[in-house]
Amino acid sequence: LPGKMSLPSRSDQQLVQIAVTDLAAKSYYVATPLLSPYVWRHANVVNTGSVPMLAGPYSAYIGGEFVGRGEMPLVACGQEVTVGFGVDTELRCQRELKDKSDRISWGSKVQTFNYELRLENFKKKPVAVRLIDRIPATKGDDVQIELTKTSQPLSADAVYVRDYRPKGILRWDIDLAADSTGVKVRRIEYR
């Protein structure tokens, strides 16, 4: 620690500020309509400071307003971390099973599921949203699952393609226009 510090002599836990570092962040929104109709604020931050960020709880503020709490992992110097900043009340998402059909093909049962995902933006400005859904993933060859159609291409992010797409995670990187509500709601369909 730079300089000396005095702590009151008491048995309860105390918080001590070790360092203050301004870090650039790349912010975005995450929508997971299977889990919640709400859209969450996230930021990717690289620790460019001279000390590691210690693991522990954090409080998140935007513009001086408290937006939530989270748990920070240990972040080494130069390491990237994703930090959550709570729900954005001006964005919504929804998932709906539009159709399900069964048929027999070459002695195998084929089930087809058609889903529609919807994103709404009540803001007066466009936003970038990572829309996340999933299809089942199997370890054996007894069941084959494939994404046969999507109304918009999946994300081309290299880390997503390498680590998450093989596990059945679907991710679309959406530029959601301002005032995308009612008949202007953004729709993504997949089968």
Side-chain angles (χ1 to χ4, degrees):
L1 296 176
K4 294 183 178 181
M5 185 175 291
S6 295
L7 297 175
S9 176
R10 56 183 198 231
S11 61
D12 58 331
Q13 189 178 40
Q14 300 179 52
L15 294 177
V16 177
Q17 182 172 306
I18 295 173
V20 175
T21 307
D22 289 328
L23 303 174
K26 181 180 178 191
S27 61
Y28 57 93
Y29 295 91
V30 175
T32 313
L34 178 66
L35 302 176
S36 172
Y38 301 107
V39 179
W40 304 84
R41 291 178 277 228
H42 285 209
N44 285 350
V45 179
V46 176
N47 182 7
T48 57
S50 59
V51 295
M53 292 184 207
L54 300 178
Y58 70 89
S59 297
Y61 294 84
I62 295 179
E65 182 180 329
F66 175 75
V67 293
R69 298 189 197 298
E71 193 70 27
M72 178 74 75
L74 177 65
V75 183
C77 295
Q79 182 180 358
E80 183 176 66
V81 66
T82 300
V83 183
F85 285 91
V87 169
D88 189 310
T89 59
E90 296 179 301
L91 299 171
R92 295 282 190 283
C93 61
Q94 190 175 15
R95 179 183 198 252
E96 181 181 354
L97 175 62
K98 298 297 278 183
D99 182 47
K100 177 187 171 197
S101 63
D102 296 331
R103 65 182 171 86
I104 302 296
S105 174
W106 297 92
S108 296
K109 182 177 182 178
V110 177
Q111 292 184 311
T112 303
F113 298 86
N114 292 303
Y115 287 97
E116 180 181 83
L117 308 174
R118 292 186 284 279
L119 285 172
E120 290 184 286
N121 181 7
F122 297 95
K123 294 177 176 289
K124 302 297 181 201
K125 64 179 184 171
V127 294
V129 179
R130 291 182 184 177
L131 179 59
I132 309 283
D133 206 16
R134 58 108 177 116
I135 57 176
T138 62
K139 293 186 189 252
D141 295 332
D142 296 345
V143 177
Q144 181 181 3
I145 299 168
E146 61 184 73
L147 180 67
T148 59
K149 177 186 161 194
T150 180
S151 62
Q152 179 164 329
L154 294 173
S155 174
D157 179 75
V159 174
Y160 160 71
V161 171
R162 182 191 69 208
D163 295 343
Y164 298 102
R165 180 65 187 102
K167 296 176 182 174
I169 304 298
L170 306 177
R171 174 180 146 187
W172 294 268
D173 295 331
I174 307 290
D175 291 321
L176 188 58
D179 294 319
S180 297
T181 62
V183 295
K184 296 188 290 182
V185 68
R186 183 69 179 269
R187 298 173 190 276
I188 305 291
E189 296 180 5
Y190 73 91
R191 176 181 303 153

